[in-house]
Amino acid sequence: MPHPKVAFVGFGEAAQCFAKHLAAQTGAPIVAFCQGKTNAPPYSPAFRALAADCGVTLLDRLEDLSEVDVIFSAVVVAVAAETGEAISRVMRPGCLVVDINAATPQSKKSVAAAVEARGGVFADANLMGSVDLYGAAVTLYTSGSGAERFAEAFRPLGFRIEVAGPEAGTAAAVKMLRSVVTKGMEALLVEALTAATLAGVRDETMRGLCASMDATTFSKFLDMCVRSDVLHAERRAVEMDGVATGLRELGFDPLMAVATAERLKASARLGLREEFARRPSYSTDDVLDRYAHVASEGFARARG
């Protein structure tokens, strides 16, 4: 079977990585169109050379993508929805649109509706890691009407695609909530270790953190955090208020420590400590189900 004709809208780091991999795997022609702040028609010689090194020919108009089989949308989040809408207006019926932007679930659903209304299929594909680390082998967590088609066509070319289901936005929701943890951990670690440097205890702090985390699995750590939060959030919030004071004494702005204290106070305000203290046993799912139920009731009351 001939390889699909592939195009990229947006040609940043991820698009360049995927395009170069595809060119090496298939030898088929690949095209791209950019309309960003840095690169837009007429393209600079340097950008044309970069694209050529990836096996890509740059196009001057979005309309020139009307005959391709697969269009990757790879733009900045701020213009992801409008770019998807624009792609839907120029693509041919039957085209597969693969949205790899870190956009919200609602944005992905909106683009999917536009694509499908004009006879295309849509894959909500989300990078579950960095191309800096994994290259084209980064896992693409994917959902939508075109998810299975995307997996069938691109897995044989070395892409790691995990299908989450037929509904656009499902994979994006998982990616978004994963980012809460991964980016949150990054921010927490940077804050703690910068403060440790100011306090002159960086090496000791790193050893203490790594020793405790290396001693268990992340799944066990997650389970412990959620099950203990329902019992100890109020006490821990008080402790984190004290930590924030200590960081200020070092001359450091405790952004994450303050946010952590507020998150713990929010858990405590749900008022579930006594209920769970009386239970002989309970699971992480039990806690999260009650948190979600009580939180949604409070949100509904607040909205009137």
Side-chain angles (χ1 to χ4, degrees), residues 58-179:
L58 295 173
L59 301 178
D60 293 327
R61 302 185 311 148
L62 186 65
E63 290 77 9
D64 293 334
L65 304 183
S66 60
E67 296 302 318
V68 301
D69 303 307
V70 181
I71 300 175
F72 284 83
S73 177
V75 297
V76 296
V77 174
V79 298
E82 65 182 84
T83 299
E85 292 272 355
I87 289 170
S88 74
R89 291 192 292 270
V90 303
M91 69 179 195
R92 66 169 183 80
C95 183
L96 167 63
V97 177
V98 182
D99 187 330
I100 65 170
N101 305 304
T104 66
Q106 188 54 51
S107 174
K108 300 269 189 166
K109 290 178 182 179
S110 174
V111 174
V115 168
E116 291 160 7
R118 293 174 172 86
V121 291
F122 180 83
D124 163 16
N126 301 267
L127 280 68
M128 306 302 275
S130 168
V131 292
D132 278 344
L133 289 176
Y134 303 108
V138 64
T139 297
L140 291 164
Y141 194 58
T142 307
S143 64
S145 59
E148 292 288 355
R149 177 175 155 189
F150 178 47
E152 182 180 344
F154 284 82
R155 276 176 180 156
L157 301 176
F159 284 75
R160 296 181 60 184
I161 301 167
E162 184 177 343
V163 176
E167 184 177 348
T170 298
V174 174
K175 164 72 173 183
M176 179 179 70
L177 297 171
R178 180 181 181 273
S179 293

Side-chain angles (χ1 to χ4, degrees), residues 123-296:
D124 163 16
N126 301 267
L127 280 68
M128 306 302 275
S130 168
V131 292
D132 278 344
L133 289 176
Y134 303 108
V138 64
T139 297
L140 291 164
Y141 194 58
T142 307
S143 64
S145 59
E148 292 288 355
R149 177 175 155 189
F150 178 47
E152 182 180 344
F154 284 82
R155 276 176 180 156
L157 301 176
F159 284 75
R160 296 181 60 184
I161 301 167
E162 184 177 343
V163 176
E167 184 177 348
T170 298
V174 174
K175 164 72 173 183
M176 179 179 70
L177 297 171
R178 180 181 181 273
S179 293
V180 172
V181 175
T182 56
K183 273 67 169 183
M185 288 178 65
E186 174 188 330
L188 286 167
L189 289 168
V190 168
E191 177 163 302
L193 294 172
T194 303
T197 301
L198 288 170
V201 292
R202 181 170 64 200
D203 291 345
E204 295 86 342
T205 301
M206 290 184 73
R207 282 197 298 271
L209 285 170
C210 292
S212 60
M213 294 300 290
D214 289 347
T216 188
T217 63
F218 188 78
S219 57
K220 288 180 180 178
F221 177 71
L222 183 154
D223 183 66
M224 180 275 293
C225 286
V226 175
R227 289 192 300 106
S228 64
D229 185 79
V230 72
L231 299 179
H232 304 300
E234 184 174 13
R235 171 180 61 79
R236 289 171 177 169
V238 173
E239 292 174 0
M240 287 308 300
D241 282 337
V243 168
T245 298
L247 293 179
R248 291 188 188 98
E249 290 172 355
L250 291 173
F252 190 77
D253 189 5
L255 298 174
M256 295 303 297
V258 170
T260 300
E262 292 305 311
R263 177 64 259 171
L264 290 164
K265 290 171 187 176
S267 291
R269 284 195 297 270
L270 296 176
L272 297 173
R273 183 183 186 283
E274 295 305 320
E275 173 187 328
F276 279 86
R278 290 193 299 268
R279 296 191 185 195
S281 64
Y282 59 86
S283 67
T284 291
D285 286 340
D286 293 332
V287 175
L288 294 175
D289 286 343
R290 290 292 288 133
Y291 272 18
H293 178 72
V294 175
S296 64

